[in-house]
Amino acid sequence: MRPSTRIPGILAGLALVLGGAVVAAPSAHADVKACEQYVAQHAPKATDGAGEACYQGYIGNLTSCNASLVAVGVSKDAAQSACEASR
């Protein structure tokens, strides 16, 4: 195979591999901000400390997220929903 014929084949293969990685990547639809906004809507007096609690939920520590939000005055149901929104 000549080098000039090999280059387009390599580029095509690379494009297929990178395209597959983009398709396989999970979509980011929730984050710390979504959790904080949920807390602000459902427990406006309990926004102090919500950012750190929501970050705990974002990294997967839902137990800490829930407990921290309840500790600052968010109801258990709202805390659970807010922590789920951070994931």
Side-chain angles (χ1 to χ4, degrees):
M1 193 181 248
R2 295 186 331 221
S4 60
T5 310
R6 207 175 305 157
I7 291 173
I10 292 171
L11 292 176
L14 184 61
L16 288 173
V17 169
L18 292 177
V22 171
V23 171
S27 63
H29 62 277
D31 57 9
V32 175
K33 283 284 185 202
C35 174
E36 290 175 329
Q37 289 172 352
Y38 192 91
V39 171
Q41 290 173 354
H42 294 86
K45 294 181 180 180
T47 55
D48 289 343
E52 179 60 34
C54 290
Y55 178 75
Q56 290 298 319
Y58 177 72
I59 61 171
N61 190 350
L62 294 180
T63 303
S64 178
C65 178
N66 284 323
S68 297
L69 288 177
V70 169
V72 296
V74 179
S75 71
K76 289 182 181 182
D77 291 336
Q80 183 176 357
S81 296
C83 292
E84 285 296 324
S86 70
R87 296 191 63 194

